[in-house]
Amino acid sequence: MLKEAIDHRPKNNYAYPYDDETLHIKLRTKKNDLERVTLIYGDPFDWTNERPNFYESSMEVAYQDDLYDYWFAAIKTVRRRTHYVFKLEDSSEDSPVIFSERGYFDSVPEDCPPCFFKVPFLNPIDVFNAPNWVKDTTWYQIFPERFANGDTSNDPEGALDWNSSPPSPTNFFGGDFQGVIDHLEYLQDLGINGIYFTPIFKAKSNHKYDTIDYFEIDPQFGDKEKFRELVTKCHERGIRVMLDAVFNHSGYYFEPFQDVLEHGENSKYKDWFHIHEFPIAYEPKPNYDTFAYEPKMPKLNTENSEVKQYLLDVATYWIEEFDIDGWRLDVANEIDHQFWREFRQAVKAVKPDVYILGEIWHDSMPWLQGDQFDAVMNYPFTEATLNFFARRTINAEQFKNQINQVLAAYPENVNEVAFNLLGSHDTARVLTQAGDDKRLVKLMYLFELTFIGTPCIYYGDEIGLTGDDDPGCRKCMPWDADEQDHELISFFQNLIRLRQEEPLLRGEGSFKFVKTEGNIVMYERLDQNQKIIVVINNQDEQVDFKLADAYQNAEYMLFEKP
Amino acid sequence: MLKEAIDHRPKNNYAYPYDDETLHIKLRTKKNDLERVTLIYGDPFDWTNERPNFYESSMEVAYQDDLYDYWFAAIKTVRRRTHYVFKLEDSSEDSPVIFSERGYFDSVPEDCPPCFFKVPFLNPIDVFNAPNWVKDTTWYQIFPERFANGDTSNDPEGALDWNSSPPSPTNFFGGDFQGVIDHLEYLQDLGINGIYFTPIFKAKSNHKYDTIDYFEIDPQFGDKEKFRELVTKCHERGIRVMLDAVFNHSGYYFEPFQDVLEHGENSKYKDWFHIHEFPIAYEPKPNYDTFAYEPKMPKLNTENSEVKQYLLDVATYWIEEFDIDGWRLDVANEIDHQFWREFRQAVKAVKPDVYILGEIWHDSMPWLQGDQFDAVMNYPFTEATLNFFARRTINAEQFKNQINQVLAAYPENVNEVAFNLLGSHDTARVLTQAGDDKRLVKLMYLFELTFIGTPCIYYGDEIGLTGDDDPGCRKCMPWDADEQDHELISFFQNLIRLRQEEPLLRGEGSFKFVKTEGNIVMYERLDQNQKIIVVINNQDEQVDFKLADAYQNAEYMLFEKP
């Protein structure tokens, strides 16, 4: 038994309340090292005849990655108080041993209550609690400047004809809200039921991540009435709307920053930013904090109470006035945790089931403990999926390991609402990454839409749009029928419909890899009563793949030949 | 290189801001497995000639326990943004390897920014920030019913003559505030500069953990004016005052609970508690949540906004009106985190340097991330120290391992203010645990007072008081000169003076074991310029113990023969 590999620490991905009465407990051990793990638990105060009462629950390996097994058990608490140890068994002589917070014992350390691991009390308010509708949502990400131009009268100066040239960091094509409204039927036919819009507030650039006014719609997209119409029409079609909150930094032309530029140390806004010294300088690097080293994006001082109040007002304004359903938080990891805690309180107070999605590319447990975000953009999922299907740099077993590592890193209720994406305005198009092989795009989206979490389709992926890294991935959506791959669209429609029709594929079913073989993966979505099996052959050759006897009564559904 | 043993996850004890510009990074590896570890870090956005800039910092083993090495580096951030990987070296052929958030690489994965570990931005508001004075404080815990009876006119009915009989769960001796005031000079002579009082609010029992009125002083102790006098006189002598906040549960005679008993479901206070069903019943177990299964201590519903506001008002009232300096939080681990976050905001708003100390007996990282507590009662320290010195169930090497495990489990700024104790009203007296051997009590307090953190002396330990578990450990403090061990008092005085005179022994010096041998431990408190060495011989025989040559110029101070 390799003790050095064994890991457990309560109140994160290893031990957490799943709901108001259920605890999930996980234990990490070396891969294939242990034969059996049993959770021994009880209420620390529950005694009979001067002996503590214990319950046992056998654990099972829920996930396995390249180094570790992750054992899992779900238990009901006793009076909501739980302390516990693990009984570890292998074939060696010293087996079984008891693993506790204070190390290893030969038997349950009944005389030492503080030796036990503890989830001291299950307080409902601390339970991670994302909106339920998210599990049933298939998102569609729209970069508004490039989705559709429905009203040429609001085109920005110098706007080019739609799709008349490749996207550049600075060119405009006039995409707007009317364009989205005009194509809501297309989106509904596709089957999506949530739109994530990159920023729509008044800004200078085509991407609008350099906000000038957080309380105004960018005029190239329309006005507030047009936006209200857009949200209303989305809601009428059962489509939820998520906006992009760029709170880490403002744009250069944001009035308070302009005031600082003009009045320097005398500006009443000087503490709204992080100015290292006056006068402000841009070379060799800006002498104020920015996004990256971009002088046009001065970092906001979210610890300043005026700034905080301003941004919280922004956050609640668009919910209260326009009934939006979610906020995606740009560069969320560089803003202080305290701000996000107050943000959550503020937006959930005005709309309890609003979805809070942070842009974080790396391990995000500190933001997903119930007090800050509901989800993050699951780029580790993206990387693993692209590596396996598009780039084919890893085999099925490695893919399984990488995906399992992501799943094991979070609580299950976090995984159920993770925002899974294959690409965005920040990455090369998935079709381009797949060497223009649409079959691979299909496999990737098949995986994404049958995986646990809430999937997102980047606008245009469904019609076969290509494009390199930004700005290449921000092409105009072509609306001429002969520029769209209708067979691909129909694939997406079927796939989304499948997800919508099968509760197991949405939030209800847990996820488990069953088998990998070369470049073939087989996995299940399951609950206690039934399961859906998916087998994906990610190689060019057709193969025979035998299901185990246990599956002989399964109903088959051949989704598509690769 | 044993990869399974290697562990790192940012934003807890492994990576955290130590202050507004310094990051601490730790890495766990198998004990004695690696020869060298180098931290390779930079600002993710800091590039020159299209190549990212990196800095290197060699790490050193700060702590070692029975299984692991804990490598440490302190770095200054670049524009407060940090991403990093570890270069791991041993004598094997595949060395060095790079350890990242996405596993192992042969070289620094420059092309994969999300592969790096990240502390994305050092926001000062998120820095764990306990009051500085705590590091300079030597605490003295007073159980007011048993410290001194200075005013017999307020004795509770049936109070016994002072020290006339052993303490029982229900007897009273009339200890009060006047008694404390009468002995402030004694306490000042002893050298302590902080008093932690167990509960003083109106309650039924002798321990007062069953509050009747959180806004009233228990009449047996005096009144509010007497309490004000006590606080003022403490402050005049440079002694800070910490009270006990029993917010997990009220007493049975707390008016809102009495109202529920009287009016049942119609009580306006019915949601102040966790009543499972009406009418209320006590058998076989209370049908409402309680502390343990004690019907006299109904658990308060701290998620209820009225209860929350009531308790936050209590918390700020005693600070604002009486200028207390700290709150010790009873059964802190069973109250929701959200309550404690609001508690911190509320009390720090009225007194920014108030000390928040949680009663938690187990691993407490989730409460010590800057948003909740400043410290917890360090019972794991207590256990290890008693096991080595008093019970002698572990040798010096095991003691070192256990203490290092506690230190490694937390950030350094948390360790610097940890509330270290050897006993309390909840545990058998340290002298009794040491088999009445006062030499061992001296060694333990020598260790506690030269250790990192803020030490506490349980009233009476300094005069040689004995006592078993509660109620035995709650004896009356004897004030007759011939009942006090003056040689022991003088030892405590010298020890406390030593700590007060040497900044390195307080918060300024880090802690490091240097050597163990049988039952001898040697450790250092040090900063970059100097160090204090302590060698403790925890065995009955005198021994020769050679210091390394490096210490040959040290000044010697033989504190005491054991």
Side-chain angles (χ1 to χ4, degrees):
Chain A
M1 181 176 312
L2 185 69
K3 288 181 177 168
E4 285 87 348
I6 296 173
D7 208 17
H8 180 81
R9 203 169 194 188
K11 297 237 180 193
N12 50 34
N13 51 315
Y14 283 128
Y16 55 88
Y18 177 72
D19 57 32
D20 289 1
E21 53 184 21
T22 312
L23 275 193
H24 282 181
I25 311 278
K26 291 177 184 169
L27 178 77
R28 197 191 75 182
T29 65
K30 176 179 155 70
K31 189 171 187 166
N32 299 325
D33 189 33
L34 296 187
E35 289 175 0
R36 198 167 23 246
V37 176
T38 309
L39 180 72
I40 300 176
Y41 69 98
D43 170 1
F45 302 102
D46 179 25
W47 292 53
T48 304
N49 298 329
E50 304 193 357
R51 292 275 317 270
N53 294 321
F54 291 111
Y55 305 83
E56 297 202 353
S57 176
S58 68
M59 303 185 76
E60 60 175 41
V61 176
Y63 305 117
Q64 202 172 47
D65 63 17
D66 57 334
L67 293 178
Y68 304 110
D69 288 339
Y70 299 90
W71 300 78
F72 174 88
I75 58 167
K76 299 290 175 194
T77 67
V78 180
R79 289 258 168 154
R80 300 197 265 173
R81 296 180 294 229
T82 313
H83 71 169
Y84 55 97
V85 293
F86 300 94
K87 184 168 75 175
L88 312 181
E89 293 176 79
D90 65 6
S91 56
S92 72
E93 278 190 8
D94 56 345
S95 172
V97 298
I98 300 296
F99 176 57
S100 76
E101 188 173 287
R102 300 271 171 84
Y104 295 87
F105 292 87
D106 293 334
S107 60
V108 176
E110 293 188 7
D111 299 339
C112 179
C115 291
F116 286 66
F117 292 108
K118 276 200 183 57
V119 180
F121 200 88
L122 202 171
N123 290 290
I125 200 171
D126 293 330
V127 178
F128 176 87
N129 182 19
N132 241 318
W133 59 263
V134 174
K135 299 176 193 171
D136 297 332
T137 302
T138 302
W139 295 94
Y140 189 84
Q141 179 184 346
I142 289 181
F143 188 88
E145 221 286 310
R146 304 291 157 73
F147 184 68
N149 187 347
D151 179 358
T152 53
S153 76
N154 58 22
D155 285 2
E157 209 184 304
L160 305 171
D161 284 347
W162 194 251
N163 217 0
S164 62
S165 99
S168 85
T170 52
N171 59 12
F172 288 85
F173 296 93
D176 54 26
F177 291 156
Q178 186 59 51
V180 179
I181 292 169
D182 293 345
H183 294 97
L184 282 180
E185 189 160 334
Y186 166 83
L187 293 174
Q188 193 174 20
D189 286 349
L190 187 60
I192 64 96
N193 54 0
I195 300 176
Y196 150 41
F197 288 99
T198 57
I200 62 166
F201 305 136
K202 190 174 175 191
K204 182 98 177 154
S205 66
N206 54 29
H207 53 68
K208 314 295 180 196
Y209 280 99
D210 53 340
T211 317
I212 295 171
D213 191 334
Y214 291 88
F215 284 102
E216 289 300 328
I217 297 289
D218 192 282
Q220 89 157 83
F221 297 151
D223 58 16
K224 287 183 177 173
E225 279 321 298
K226 187 51 72 181
F227 180 62
R228 194 186 307 279
E229 181 189 338
L230 171 61
V231 175
T232 304
K233 289 188 164 159
C234 282
H235 285 175
E236 283 167 7
R237 293 175 186 267
I239 295 172
R240 286 192 167 81
V241 174
M242 176 161 62
L243 297 186
D244 206 321
V246 189
F247 288 178
N248 177 64
H249 52 268
S250 74
Y252 186 80
Y253 297 99
F254 182 50
E255 213 168 274
F257 192 67
Q258 288 294 311
D259 194 90
V260 173
L261 289 178
E262 189 173 340
H263 299 106
E265 281 185 87
N266 300 318
S267 167
K268 65 179 172 177
Y269 296 108
K270 81 178 166 65
D271 293 328
W272 279 46
F273 306 92
H274 302 267
I275 317 273
H276 303 171
E277 61 192 345
F278 289 96
I280 279 179
Y282 309 113
E283 296 295 339
K285 282 176 170 166
N287 64 356
Y288 52 97
D289 287 347
T290 55
F291 171 69
Y293 287 93
E294 174 51 62
K296 295 283 171 69
M297 294 179 170
K299 183 171 171 67
L300 286 161
N301 180 7
T302 44
E303 295 192 21
N304 177 287
S305 58
E306 287 171 30
V307 174
K308 191 185 297 190
Q309 197 52 56
Y310 174 84
L311 294 174
L312 296 182
D313 287 346
V314 170
T316 52
Y317 173 78
W318 294 95
I319 299 171
E320 292 186 303
E321 296 294 322
F322 298 91
D323 199 21
I324 65 162
D325 306 291
W327 277 115
R328 180 264 190 191
L329 314 170
D330 191 54
V331 198
N333 60 348
E334 297 193 14
I335 295 176
D336 55 283
H337 292 282
Q338 184 55 36
F339 177 84
W340 290 130
R341 288 192 194 101
E342 295 183 40
F343 178 90
R344 183 180 187 86
Q345 299 282 333
V347 299
K348 296 277 180 183
V350 296
K351 190 166 188 169
D353 71 343
V354 71
Y355 181 49
I356 304 173
L357 169 66
E359 185 205 14
I360 303 189
W361 292 56
H362 51 86
D363 183 29
S364 304
M365 196 65 238
W367 291 267
L368 293 169
Q369 309 207 338
D371 58 329
Q372 295 169 65
F373 304 161
D374 293 320
V376 295
M377 299 180 80
N378 196 354
Y379 280 108
F381 162 92
T382 316
E383 274 305 294
T385 307
L386 289 171
N387 284 339
F388 177 54
F389 291 104
R391 301 171 192 144
R392 292 197 171 165
T393 52
I394 56 175
N395 64 25
E397 182 67 16
Q398 292 168 310
F399 174 61
K400 184 197 86 169
N401 287 342
Q402 291 185 11
I403 291 289
N404 275 343
Q405 196 172 23
V406 178
L407 291 171
Y410 297 108
E412 292 307 299
N413 39 11
V414 169
N415 289 331
E416 288 168 6
V417 291
F419 189 88
N420 300 322
L421 70 167
L422 295 171
S424 72
H425 62 289
D426 283 328
T427 59
R429 285 268 177 194
V430 65
L431 177 54
T432 298
Q433 300 212 45
D436 290 326
D437 188 338
K438 287 180 183 165
R439 299 176 309 167
L440 304 184
V441 171
K442 289 180 181 176
L443 293 188
M444 278 184 273
Y445 272 107
L446 171 62
F447 182 70
E448 194 203 49
L449 273 101
T450 55
F451 189 61
I452 193 168
T454 186
C456 185
I457 298 161
Y458 184 47
Y459 84 96
D461 278 359
E462 79 280 14
I463 58 143
L465 214 52
T466 57
D468 274 325
D469 284 340
D470 162 23
C473 56
R474 301 173 179 184
K475 281 186 189 166
C476 291
M477 176 87 167
W479 290 105
D480 288 350
D482 56 1
E483 288 180 291
Q484 299 188 333
D485 183 332
H486 295 277
E487 193 268 335
L488 191 57
I489 294 177
S490 143
F491 173 89
F492 272 87
Q493 286 171 330
N494 289 336
L495 189 54
I496 296 169
R497 190 177 310 121
L498 178 69
R499 183 178 174 93
Q500 292 301 339
E501 286 170 357
E502 297 290 349
L504 278 185
L505 293 181
R506 303 203 303 277
E508 309 303 318
S510 58
F511 174 92
K512 189 165 187 168
F513 281 106
V514 178
K515 194 173 164 187
T516 63
E517 225 179 76
N519 281 340
I520 302 171
V521 287
M522 171 177 173
Y523 54 91
E524 295 171 344
R525 297 297 306 278
L526 66 162
D527 63 14
Q528 291 182 326
N529 303 314
Q530 46 177 355
K531 52 179 68 169
I532 291 178
I533 312 159
V534 182
V535 184
I536 304 184
N537 177 19
N538 178 33
Q539 55 195 26
D540 298 324
E541 305 76 31
Q542 202 165 328
V543 290
D544 284 328
F545 183 84
K546 278 239 171 337
L547 295 184
D549 289 344
Y551 299 105
Q552 63 182 336
N553 293 323
E555 283 175 47
Y556 285 82
M557 171 168 44
L558 186 60
F559 197 69
E560 173 142 350
K561 285 190 190 170
Chain B
M1 180 176 314
L2 185 70
K3 288 182 177 168
E4 284 88 347
I6 296 171
D7 207 18
H8 179 82
R9 202 169 194 188
K11 297 234 179 196
N12 49 35
N13 51 315
Y14 283 128
Y16 55 88
Y18 177 72
D19 58 33
D20 289 1
E21 53 184 23
T22 311
L23 275 192
H24 282 182
I25 311 279
K26 290 177 185 170
L27 178 76
R28 197 191 75 182
T29 65
K30 177 178 155 70
K31 188 170 187 167
N32 299 325
D33 190 34
L34 296 187
E35 289 176 358
R36 198 166 24 244
V37 176
T38 309
L39 180 72
I40 300 176
Y41 68 99
D43 170 0
F45 301 102
D46 179 26
W47 293 54
T48 305
N49 299 327
E50 305 193 358
R51 294 275 316 270
N53 294 321
F54 291 111
Y55 304 82
E56 298 202 351
S57 176
S58 68
M59 303 185 76
E60 60 175 41
V61 177
Y63 305 117
Q64 202 172 46
D65 64 17
D66 57 334
L67 293 178
Y68 305 109
D69 288 340
Y70 299 88
W71 300 77
F72 174 87
I75 58 167
K76 299 290 174 194
T77 68
V78 181
R79 288 255 167 157
R80 299 197 265 173
R81 296 179 295 230
T82 312
H83 71 168
Y84 55 98
V85 293
F86 300 93
K87 184 167 75 174
L88 312 181
E89 294 176 79
D90 65 6
S91 55
S92 72
E93 277 191 6
D94 56 345
S95 171
V97 297
I98 300 295
F99 176 56
S100 76
E101 189 173 287
R102 301 270 169 86
Y104 295 87
F105 292 87
D106 293 334
S107 60
V108 177
E110 294 188 6
D111 300 339
C112 179
C115 291
F116 285 67
F117 292 108
K118 275 200 184 58
V119 179
F121 199 90
L122 202 172
N123 290 291
I125 201 171
D126 292 330
V127 178
F128 176 86
N129 182 18
N132 240 319
W133 59 264
V134 174
K135 299 176 193 171
D136 297 332
T137 302
T138 302
W139 295 95
Y140 189 84
Q141 179 184 345
I142 288 181
F143 188 87
E145 221 285 311
R146 304 290 157 73
F147 184 68
N149 186 348
D151 179 357
T152 53
S153 76
N154 58 21
D155 284 2
E157 208 183 306
L160 305 172
D161 284 346
W162 194 252
N163 216 2
S164 62
S165 100
S168 85
T170 52
N171 59 12
F172 287 86
F173 296 92
D176 53 27
F177 291 156
Q178 186 59 51
V180 180
I181 292 169
D182 293 345
H183 294 96
L184 282 180
E185 189 161 333
Y186 166 83
L187 294 174
Q188 193 175 20
D189 286 348
L190 187 59
I192 65 96
N193 52 1
I195 301 176
Y196 149 41
F197 288 99
T198 57
I200 62 166
F201 306 136
K202 190 176 174 190
K204 182 98 177 155
S205 66
N206 54 27
H207 53 66
K208 313 295 178 195
Y209 280 99
D210 52 341
T211 317
I212 295 171
D213 190 333
Y214 292 87
F215 284 104
E216 289 300 330
I217 297 288
D218 193 281
Q220 88 157 86
F221 296 151
D223 59 14
K224 287 184 177 174
E225 279 322 298
K226 186 51 72 180
F227 180 62
R228 193 185 308 279
E229 181 189 338
L230 171 61
V231 175
T232 304
K233 289 189 165 159
C234 283
H235 285 174
E236 283 168 5
R237 293 176 186 267
I239 295 172
R240 286 194 165 80
V241 174
M242 176 160 61
L243 296 186
D244 206 322
V246 190
F247 288 178
N248 176 64
H249 52 267
S250 74
Y252 186 82
Y253 298 99
F254 182 49
E255 212 167 276
F257 192 67
Q258 288 295 311
D259 194 272
V260 172
L261 289 178
E262 188 174 341
H263 299 106
E265 281 186 86
N266 299 318
S267 168
K268 65 178 173 178
Y269 296 108
K270 80 179 167 65
D271 294 328
W272 279 46
F273 306 91
H274 303 266
I275 317 274
H276 303 170
E277 60 192 346
F278 290 95
I280 280 179
Y282 309 113
E283 295 295 337
K285 282 176 171 166
N287 65 355
Y288 52 97
D289 288 347
T290 55
F291 170 69
Y293 287 92
E294 173 51 62
K296 295 283 173 69
M297 294 178 170
K299 184 172 170 67
L300 286 160
N301 180 6
T302 44
E303 296 192 20
N304 177 287
S305 57
E306 287 170 29
V307 174
K308 191 186 297 189
Q309 196 53 58
Y310 174 84
L311 294 174
L312 296 183
D313 287 347
V314 170
T316 52
Y317 172 78
W318 293 96
I319 299 172
E320 292 186 305
E321 296 294 322
F322 299 89
D323 199 22
I324 66 162
D325 306 291
W327 277 115
R328 180 263 191 190
L329 314 170
D330 190 55
V331 199
N333 60 349
E334 297 193 15
I335 295 176
D336 55 283
H337 293 283
Q338 184 55 37
F339 177 84
W340 290 130
R341 288 192 194 99
E342 295 182 41
F343 177 90
R344 184 180 187 86
Q345 300 282 332
V347 299
K348 297 278 180 180
V350 296
K351 189 165 188 170
D353 71 344
V354 72
Y355 181 49
I356 304 173
L357 170 66
E359 186 207 13
I360 303 190
W361 292 57
H362 51 85
D363 183 31
S364 305
M365 195 66 239
W367 292 267
L368 293 169
Q369 309 207 339
D371 59 329
Q372 295 168 65
F373 304 162
D374 292 322
V376 295
M377 298 180 81
N378 197 355
Y379 280 108
F381 161 92
T382 315
E383 274 304 296
T385 306
L386 290 171
N387 284 339
F388 178 53
F389 292 105
R391 301 171 192 144
R392 290 196 173 166
T393 51
I394 57 175
N395 64 24
E397 181 68 14
Q398 292 167 311
F399 174 61
K400 183 197 87 171
N401 288 342
Q402 290 185 12
I403 291 290
N404 275 343
Q405 195 172 24
V406 178
L407 291 170
Y410 296 109
E412 291 308 299
N413 40 10
V414 169
N415 289 331
E416 288 168 5
V417 292
F419 189 88
N420 299 323
L421 69 167
L422 294 172
S424 73
H425 62 291
D426 283 329
T427 59
R429 285 269 177 192
V430 65
L431 178 54
T432 297
Q433 300 213 45
D436 290 325
D437 187 338
K438 286 181 183 166
R439 299 175 310 166
L440 304 184
V441 171
K442 288 181 181 175
L443 293 187
M444 279 184 272
Y445 272 107
L446 171 62
F447 183 69
E448 194 202 50
L449 272 101
T450 55
F451 189 61
I452 193 168
T454 187
C456 186
I457 297 161
Y458 184 48
Y459 84 95
D461 279 359
E462 80 280 13
I463 57 139
L465 214 52
T466 57
D468 276 324
D469 285 339
D470 162 23
C473 55
R474 302 173 179 184
K475 281 186 191 168
C476 292
M477 175 87 166
W479 290 106
D480 289 349
D482 56 0
E483 287 180 291
Q484 299 188 333
D485 182 331
H486 295 277
E487 192 270 335
L488 191 58
I489 294 177
S490 143
F491 173 88
F492 273 86
Q493 286 170 331
N494 289 335
L495 190 54
I496 296 169
R497 190 178 310 120
L498 178 71
R499 184 178 173 93
Q500 292 301 341
E501 285 170 358
E502 296 290 348
L504 277 184
L505 293 182
R506 303 201 305 276
E508 309 304 318
S510 59
F511 175 92
K512 190 167 186 168
F513 281 106
V514 178
K515 195 174 165 187
T516 63
E517 226 179 78
N519 280 340
I520 302 171
V521 288
M522 171 178 172
Y523 53 91
E524 294 172 345
R525 298 297 307 277
L526 67 162
D527 64 14
Q528 291 181 328
N529 302 315
Q530 47 176 353
K531 54 180 66 169
I532 291 178
I533 313 158
V534 182
V535 183
I536 303 184
N537 177 19
N538 178 33
Q539 56 196 25
D540 298 324
E541 305 75 33
Q542 201 164 329
V543 291
D544 283 329
F545 184 85
K546 278 239 170 339
L547 295 185
D549 289 345
Y551 299 105
Q552 63 181 338
N553 293 324
E555 282 176 47
Y556 286 83
M557 171 169 41
L558 186 60
F559 198 68
E560 174 142 350
K561 284 190 189 171

